[in-house]
Amino acid sequence: MEGKGALSGIVVIDASNFVFGPVATQMLGDMGADVIKIEPPEGDPTRGIGASHNPGMGSFFLNLNRNKRSVVLDLKSDAGRQDLRRLLATADVFVHNMRSAALRRLGLAYEALAAEFPRLVHASAQGFGSGGDYFDRPAYDDVIQGLSGVAGINAAATGTPSYWPALISDKLCGVYLAHAITTALLHRERTGQAQKVEVPMFETMTAFNLLEHLADGVFAAADGSRPGWRGYSRVQSSHHRPLATKDGYISLVANTDGQWRRLFDLIGRPELANDPRFSTLGNRIRNIGELYEIIEQGLARHTSSRWLEMLEAADVPAGPIHGMDDLREDAHLKHAGFFQTLDHPTEGPLVMPGVPLRFSASPGSVRLGPPMLGEHNGDLLGEPHGGGQTDEGR
């Protein structure tokens, strides 16, 4: 659905690349912002990742950069930096993932930009927060998954540290960054004051992971000692996985006492509702491994499809185990209009997720396909593709 998003009229200069920053700026673009993507002459590195019909238009890039316009600038040159400042003069937000030394070298540190552009929100997508020991170290998703506890939490269930099979740190921190930017814009709207926003991956992912895993560690000991942080046992159990049925697997999560009673009835074990091991939420979590074993024994009696029918009738949350191909055929996603087909001038029809957020008065929309490298130099700077290269080339 095309509409006037809540961020219509907001101009975002996006000098980030890879995943973290582009996730955030694509979300802002979906909500109506005019996102101008600043790329070096060789382009965002993700242009070369994944399937492609044309060079520099890899599927990885296509999925992260809709609703953006591309300008090529060589920020190592005086001309490129001058062109960037021309764009910043009309902008509301500057987003980047540069380290502090590079920012200072390019004259793009917050202090310099705040003096020149006092209404500009300066948003930094960085690995580690300023003031900490790791500040300005390079960081990518795997490093942050290791540091923030993701890989270690997986080891509790499997015995071996492992990464999520997704760029979870990059993507999730991108969502936090979009939230931080819109919060800063709201503050500016109310007070007239712009500001610097930092979203450090390490701190952000650690806070996210500890929401349930801090567990007993949330209580500070009166004697100053530090209790062990055991984490949330239910999700660290080796049984916390899709559960086997007669012919496959399903996902199944009962939480309330009522859901568990109905589930115990379905597997033919109603007496378990009064078993002290499983009669309360706390006891079920403490005995989760034993409980899951009993449930899986009961699930072996019927096929996955039959169990899903019975569980839905009993109002117990459950679902099938989708593979990637199954998502295209999911009835709910089809009827909700989740997937959209966008006609791209060079890449042809592109199938992509639409905007998942729903707004009754200011809906987001997919207005622009992912840009070709430097496609909008002429529109924004009066130059052909690849403008702002070097002093000698101008």
Side-chain angles (χ1 to χ4, degrees):
M1 176 181 180
E2 189 163 338
K4 189 172 183 180
L7 297 182
S8 178
I10 296 294
V11 177
V12 178
I13 306 301
D14 177 15
S16 69
N17 54 25
F18 286 103
V19 177
F20 180 2
V23 164
T25 54
Q26 180 164 278
M27 292 180 68
L28 301 177
D30 286 352
M31 292 297 110
D34 179 12
V35 179
I36 300 169
K37 184 176 179 67
I38 307 300
E39 300 191 65
E42 64 274 15
D44 186 317
T46 61
R47 285 184 175 274
I49 301 176
S52 64
H53 290 171
N54 292 289
M57 297 298 282
S59 56
F60 204 104
F61 176 86
L62 299 179
N63 284 325
L64 287 164
N65 290 284
R66 71 188 184 200
N67 285 333
K68 302 179 187 181
R69 298 191 283 172
S70 171
V71 170
V72 169
L73 295 178
D74 181 359
L75 297 182
K76 296 177 182 178
S77 72
D78 290 340
R81 292 191 294 274
Q82 290 169 8
D83 282 342
L84 177 62
R85 276 178 155 71
R86 288 168 55 192
L87 295 172
L88 290 173
T90 67
D92 299 280
V93 182
F94 174 54
V95 183
H96 69 86
N97 61 344
M98 305 178 205
R99 287 190 272 172
S100 63
L103 279 177
R104 289 193 300 271
R105 188 167 60 249
L106 297 174
L108 299 175
Y110 170 66
E111 294 73 19
L113 293 185
E116 191 171 351
F117 310 110
R119 284 184 54 80
L120 185 69
V121 171
H122 186 284
S124 175
Q126 55 198 56
F128 307 97
S130 57
D133 291 357
Y134 304 156
F135 177 63
D136 252 5
R137 288 188 186 179
Y140 289 108
D141 189 272
D142 289 357
V143 173
I144 299 302
Q145 286 201 42
L147 276 169
S148 65
V150 171
I153 289 167
N154 286 337
T158 66
T160 304
S162 61
Y163 302 129
W164 283 20
L167 301 179
I168 185 65
S169 302
D170 279 328
K171 293 188 292 185
L172 182 64
C173 290
V175 174
Y176 273 83
L177 179 58
H179 164 68
I181 290 169
T182 54
T183 301
L185 287 171
L186 177 60
H187 176 80
R188 192 191 69 175
E189 180 71 16
R190 289 176 169 173
T191 68
Q193 180 186 39
Q195 62 186 299
K196 179 181 180 181
V197 173
E198 291 184 1
V199 178
M201 293 177 73
F202 180 31
E203 289 93 319
T204 301
M205 280 302 297
T206 301
F208 179 78
N209 286 335
L210 290 181
L211 287 174
E212 77 273 35
H213 284 295
L214 189 56
D216 54 337
V218 72
F219 299 106
D223 61 1
S225 63
R226 301 175 64 183
W229 291 3
R230 293 182 298 231
Y232 183 36
S233 59
R234 185 181 77 83
V235 299
Q236 293 185 90
S237 167
S238 60
H239 295 278
H240 180 242
R241 51 178 169 71
L243 299 176
T245 65
K246 187 175 183 178
D247 67 344
Y249 294 87
I250 61 171
S251 56
L252 169 62
V253 181
N255 269 323
T256 68
D257 291 343
Q259 289 168 352
W260 277 107
R261 281 195 298 270
R262 296 192 294 276
L263 179 56
F264 290 146
D265 287 343
L266 288 176
I267 66 170
R269 298 292 303 276
E271 75 280 2
L272 294 177
N274 298 315
D275 188 313
R277 296 171 299 170
F278 312 129
S279 59
T280 68
L281 177 60
N283 286 344
R284 286 191 293 270
I285 291 175
R286 279 185 283 274
N287 297 286
I288 196 67
E290 190 174 359
L291 177 58
Y292 275 142
E293 286 183 4
I294 293 171
I295 297 303
E296 199 159 34
Q297 290 169 8
L299 293 179
R301 296 162 50 201
H302 300 296
T303 64
S304 294
S305 60
R306 178 59 180 146
W307 273 117
L308 292 175
E309 290 173 1
M310 292 191 294
L311 291 164
E312 182 176 0
D315 198 26
V316 176
I321 304 300
H322 277 341
M324 294 298 292
D325 289 340
D326 298 319
L327 293 173
R328 287 284 298 273
E329 303 303 321
D330 183 90
H332 174 88
L333 294 179
K334 281 186 175 181
H335 295 149
F338 177 80
F339 289 106
Q340 297 186 11
T341 300
L342 179 70
D343 290 325
H344 193 279
T346 63
E347 307 312 300
L350 300 178
V351 177
M352 60 180 59
V355 181
L357 309 180
R358 303 296 177 94
F359 293 80
S360 63
S362 57
S365 62
V366 180
R367 306 177 309 282
L368 298 173
M372 295 175 287
L373 180 61
E375 179 179 347
H376 300 96
N377 274 66
D379 295 341
L380 294 165
L381 297 173
E383 300 170 343
H385 291 202
Q389 296 289 309
T390 63
D391 297 330
E392 293 80 1
R394 288 174 61 84

